[in-house]
Amino acid sequence: MRLTRRAAAATAALVTSALALTACGPSGDSGGSDSASGKVEGQVTFQTWNLKANFKKHFEGIIADFEKKYPDAEVKWVDQPAEGYPEKLSADAAGGTLPDVVNVSPDLAYPLAKAGLALDLEKAAGTYRGEYLDGAWRSQRMPGLPGVYAFPWYLNTGPMFYNKALFTRAGLDPEKPPTTYDQLFDDALTMAHRSGRKTAMLAGTPSIEDFGRYGVRLMNSQGTQFTFNEPKGVELLRHYKELYAAGALDSQALTAQAESAGRKFQQQSVAMNPGSAHDLENFKKEAPSLYRHIGITNAVNNTGRANMYVQGLMVNARSKVKPAAVAFAHFVTDRKNQMAFAKEVTIFPSTKGSLDDPYFTEEDGTDATRVRVASAKSLKTAVNYTPVLLSDQMKTVLRNAVAKAVQGEQSPRAALDGAAAECNRLLKTG
């Protein structure tokens, strides 16, 4: 099963080029009416992303309920493997065989929306907007395009784990982990100094999400230019350079992967690290001395909003059964069905009020509920910080620039200016 927030974004250019073949008008032209009114009838083709193996019974139940509610409609469910999913969307778009309802992440929805193949649900189904969390609804907007191009579906976010024993050893309050970046930087420097540089607070350099949580404007309002090199972005990178020099950022942070950062945390040489309920279970089995001192908090931010990973259900703007397709996409993502799905797998509903359910607010002493409650609380106001236009190639450009600045090979200003220029060049060339 793959319930991740993004597909392989490296294929975005392939998708975009294929969609260019299908667009028959200016960008955003749906090639037909956006109206989704009319009788709910006909066969709806519903495509998911690697879900049938583990959730066959769940989705067959939803389909049966929908067909019972709408006797003149039927649903054909098609499930695609995670491997090659973007290429499959590209081929369907180019061949005019895109399903009526498609499971997409925002980065996959963007080229479809730009080519006029994604229905603007703000126009066609805006009456449902109030059923979803504001941040989840906004996450389905696309840069430079008016409207919303998918119903928000399941969400996820990650809590931050911290080691209370290491906080105590450094003279920091173990019950008050940092919540803002200024607090994080101060605590990290204190910990490095008092441990004789033996304990780092963090094991990774800042990603685009960190820039967003810091309060950096990542793109202009038109979605035509990256702006993470603005003064606030340079300020963030200067702080990380200082942390690295002081030993508050792990010496291997410039090359660390998520797995190696996790090992550093498990070895108790790093005091804070993001994770999941699965990580907690591993700590309990493999590192009981760490597990006894685990604290759980939200990821540090200056905005008051956690990062949100989101999936959605897009409706094909050229569907021949548009009223039924919209009705089904809404049915799958309504509060009842999202809650049922969340109880089968560790995801969170995007519908308003769902996160107030006792399932997401009451702990029972297990690792799973400890993380679930912490994550659900942060998701109520979370946003998706990662721009849908940021490809894997652009992420590499930014990561390399950050490494050069942190090591002192370039100034933070020069490194970010160069990264923004290269990312904007890639944005223009597609």
Side-chain angles (χ1 to χ4, degrees):
M1 181 196 69
R2 181 181 174 94
L3 286 175
T4 55
R5 62 189 175 97
R6 301 176 73 83
T11 60
L14 172 64
V15 177
T16 303
S17 62
L19 295 179
L21 300 175
T22 68
C24 61
S27 291
D29 182 6
S30 68
S33 172
D34 269 349
S35 175
S37 61
K39 189 175 182 181
V40 177
E41 60 182 357
Q43 185 183 81
V44 175
T45 303
F46 168 49
Q47 179 170 290
T48 53
W49 180 2
N50 198 26
L51 296 178
K52 182 170 282 189
N54 293 291
F55 306 107
K56 185 172 185 286
K57 183 177 179 180
H58 173 79
F59 287 102
E60 287 180 344
I62 289 178
I63 290 169
D65 290 345
F66 179 78
E67 292 176 344
K68 182 177 180 181
K69 182 176 181 179
Y70 298 103
D72 294 322
E74 61 178 310
V75 177
K76 178 184 177 182
W77 180 23
V78 178
D79 189 61
Q80 300 293 344
E83 188 69 28
Y85 190 69
E87 290 91 340
K88 174 61 177 171
L89 288 180
S90 174
D92 285 342
T97 57
L98 198 66
D100 301 295
V101 176
V102 186
N103 178 192
V104 289
S105 50
D107 57 311
L108 294 183
Y110 173 74
L112 295 163
K114 189 176 182 182
L117 294 177
L119 186 66
D120 179 358
L121 296 174
E122 202 140 62
K123 289 171 63 177
T127 184
Y128 298 128
R129 177 178 180 173
E131 297 180 19
Y132 301 90
L133 293 170
D134 291 340
W137 186 263
R138 288 195 301 270
S139 73
Q140 303 298 338
R141 291 177 178 165
M142 301 295 150
L145 299 175
V148 164
Y149 294 91
F151 281 109
W153 197 8
Y154 54 86
L155 312 175
N156 226 321
T157 191
M160 182 70 76
F161 294 138
Y162 68 100
N163 187 321
K164 291 185 177 183
L166 294 181
F167 270 66
T168 300
R169 196 176 303 163
L172 301 172
D173 189 338
E175 301 306 322
K176 293 182 179 179
T179 58
T180 68
Y181 276 92
D182 281 347
Q183 293 170 353
L184 174 66
F185 299 145
D186 287 345
D187 287 354
L189 291 171
T190 296
M191 182 171 288
H193 174 70
R194 292 181 179 173
S195 69
R197 299 175 63 97
K198 292 180 180 178
T199 304
M201 182 69 82
L202 302 170
T205 54
S207 67
I208 194 69
E209 294 163 13
D210 291 295
F211 281 84
R213 284 192 291 255
Y214 191 71
V216 179
R217 188 177 61 120
L218 304 178
M219 295 195 79
N220 62 13
S221 57
Q222 296 78 30
T224 57
Q225 188 173 20
F226 288 101
T227 57
F228 52 75
N229 60 323
E230 68 176 18
K232 203 164 187 66
V234 175
E235 178 183 286
L236 174 66
L237 201 46
R238 283 176 180 152
H239 280 297
Y240 269 85
K241 180 181 179 181
E242 182 182 7
L243 295 185
Y244 187 71
L249 183 64
D250 187 79
S251 60
Q252 298 177 14
L254 302 181
T255 58
Q257 301 296 319
E259 295 80 6
S260 59
R263 285 194 297 272
K264 290 274 187 177
F265 182 72
Q266 187 166 322
Q267 294 163 0
Q268 303 192 62
S269 60
V270 170
M272 297 190 78
N273 201 61
S276 67
H278 179 68
D279 293 312
L280 264 185
E281 293 170 2
N282 285 343
F283 297 154
K284 189 174 184 178
K285 296 175 183 176
E286 301 172 8
S289 61
L290 166 65
Y291 181 78
R292 286 194 296 271
H293 301 293
I294 284 289
I296 302 174
T297 187
N298 293 335
V300 171
N301 68 75
N302 288 348
T303 64
R305 295 174 180 269
N307 188 58
M308 173 191 293
Y309 308 126
V310 59
Q311 289 284 330
L313 289 186
M314 186 202 85
V315 175
N316 184 348
R318 298 178 185 174
S319 169
K320 296 180 180 179
V321 290
K322 203 174 296 181
V326 169
F328 181 71
H330 172 253
F331 190 79
V332 174
T333 61
D334 69 14
R335 181 170 176 172
K336 174 186 173 184
N337 286 317
Q338 288 213 46
M339 275 298 301
F341 195 29
K343 291 183 178 181
E344 292 198 30
V345 65
T346 308
I347 51 92
F348 299 86
S350 63
T351 43
K352 283 184 179 177
S354 295
L355 298 178
D356 294 320
D357 188 276
Y359 183 72
F360 297 110
T361 60
E362 298 179 1
E363 293 189 27
D364 60 9
T366 65
D367 293 340
T369 58
R370 290 178 69 190
V371 175
R372 184 167 67 229
V373 170
S375 298
K377 183 178 180 181
S378 68
L379 274 171
K380 290 183 180 181
T381 57
V383 296
N384 181 10
Y385 287 109
T386 303
V388 300
L389 298 178
L390 190 76
S391 68
D392 273 5
Q393 186 177 2
M394 295 173 188
K395 288 180 184 178
T396 299
V397 168
L398 178 58
R399 185 166 55 248
N400 291 341
V402 166
K404 289 180 181 179
V406 168
Q407 292 179 95
E409 293 181 10
Q410 278 189 300
S411 71
R413 162 63 68 189
L416 284 185
D417 281 349
E422 178 61 11
C423 288
N424 286 328
R425 184 191 70 78
L426 292 170
L427 188 63
K428 290 179 181 178
T429 59

